Amino acid sequence: KILRTKVVAVDKAESVPNFSTNGSRILFPGWLSADDESDVSEVILPEISVGETLTLSKLESEGKETQPPARYSEAGLVKELEKRGIGRPSTYASIIQTLLTRRYVEKQERALVPTTTGEVVDNFLETNFKNIVSDSFTAKMEEDLDEIAEGQKDYKKTLSDFYFPFHKEVEAKDSLPKVTTLGDVDEKIKCPKCESKMVIKLARNGTFLSCVNFPECKGARMASGEEMKEPESTGEKCPECTSGNLVTREGKFGSFISCDKYPKCKYIKKDPSAKAQNSSGVVCPECKKGELVERRGRFGIFYSCSMYPKCKFSVNAKPTGKICTFIRDGKPCNALMVEGTKTIPERCSDKSCPNHNPHKLK
């Protein structure tokens, strides 16, 4: 039998603050007396009566710093959104996916850590749209939408009350300078072209160092300090816009060839060897010109037409080259057949076709 106890030591002279401890007293050992090696997790306190005088044997001080709260994991973020009434169970996955896709955060082990881009965007929104980027606004808007769905509010009036003031606020911020400059660089680091000072700039894939005289001087360095080389011309004309020239650029996944008119022209020259390696060898059934090639998206591997973006045909599994002959509404399905599983080697790519689950056919 164990009695939970709290002991408080009081200094009558009030020269030192009160000290207290929580623990337990064993009133009857029971099975503990038969098991000498048992691990009693509670702090065992001696028997003390009220008013008993205690002797201070030793006094030690220990310095502690307040630790910042831990980073949110995906599950922790969902729990916090639920607590604040933001979002719905059906939207939590898309919220987290948006944060990762736009590189506002990145996963380090299980934690979601904000990137430089995320911090800049967050600071800009909080500074300029404080009344919109807030827990109360999001939760209130979702309550209004629920009431619209239940017929308790008029959706035109509710959305108009929000949209028109918000639209004016956005237009008023149109004259604000871009927030791509994040600060000065150490004066020891000079521009590789004109030896001027450099500043930290925000790019789509992170930060880099740019000359303060840009665009007159286009000297730049990577965040590590290495010089960034300018795109080199290949001597070819862009086959898409015909006015631009093809140049070799350094990208996140290595060098690639694109039009120097980017972003007006987004042509990227495909590597013939890469195309042959990733091609399934199956002609696109939609445009009849391209081949279905393996690509990797945010949901995994899929196969789409090599003529993308002109042709947007795609399937989620590797095509076998065969056509589905299952009779539907008196005629063959004619959809592509794709690889299945060990138990279902081949299936129709059209999910509405019964042959998509051939194991269920009689």
Side-chain angles (χ1 to χ4, degrees), residues 62-229:
E62 181 180 353
K64 285 190 175 182
E65 295 182 359
T66 303
Q67 297 297 318
R71 296 286 186 189
Y72 286 120
S73 63
E74 290 188 15
L77 180 57
V78 168
K79 188 176 180 181
E80 187 66 23
L81 291 173
E82 288 179 334
K83 180 181 175 182
R84 300 191 186 191
I86 301 173
R88 294 290 183 269
S90 60
T91 63
Y92 294 146
S94 62
I95 289 173
I96 293 174
Q97 189 60 52
T98 299
L99 294 174
L100 293 169
T101 302
R102 297 185 182 178
R103 296 182 60 81
Y104 294 152
V105 298
E106 57 185 16
K107 290 183 73 172
Q108 294 181 8
E109 295 181 351
R110 295 179 61 188
L112 299 174
V113 180
T115 61
T116 305
T117 303
E119 291 176 348
V120 170
V121 171
D122 178 69
N123 183 62
F124 177 82
L125 293 176
E126 283 198 349
T127 303
N128 298 288
F129 299 95
K130 195 170 184 179
N131 59 324
I132 301 294
V133 187
S134 67
D135 300 349
S136 58
F137 171 81
T138 307
K140 178 66 169 59
M141 176 57 73
E142 297 213 7
E143 286 179 9
D144 291 343
L145 294 176
D146 286 341
E147 290 180 7
I148 290 172
E150 294 168 1
Q152 299 176 12
K153 276 194 174 184
D154 178 63
Y155 84 96
K156 286 187 178 180
K157 184 179 184 307
T158 303
L159 296 182
S160 296
D161 290 345
F162 157 72
Y163 177 75
F164 291 111
F166 176 67
H167 183 66
K168 289 181 180 179
E169 197 171 355
V170 172
E171 285 186 327
K173 302 296 189 295
D174 191 47
S175 59
L176 291 175
K178 291 184 178 180
V179 289
T180 53
T181 302
L182 306 182
D184 295 331
V185 182
D186 189 335
E187 292 185 358
K188 294 179 182 178
I189 301 176
K190 301 291 184 182
C191 172
K193 289 194 171 183
C194 68
E195 295 292 320
S196 299
K197 287 176 59 179
M198 303 196 78
V199 292
I200 303 172
K201 289 275 189 177
L202 177 66
R204 180 176 295 182
N205 295 322
T207 57
F208 71 100
L209 312 184
S210 172
C211 179
V212 292
N213 297 322
F214 180 85
E216 288 76 17
C217 175
K218 296 184 179 179
R221 296 181 183 273
M222 296 182 182
S224 58
E226 299 174 12
E227 182 181 355
M228 292 177 64
K229 297 180 180 179

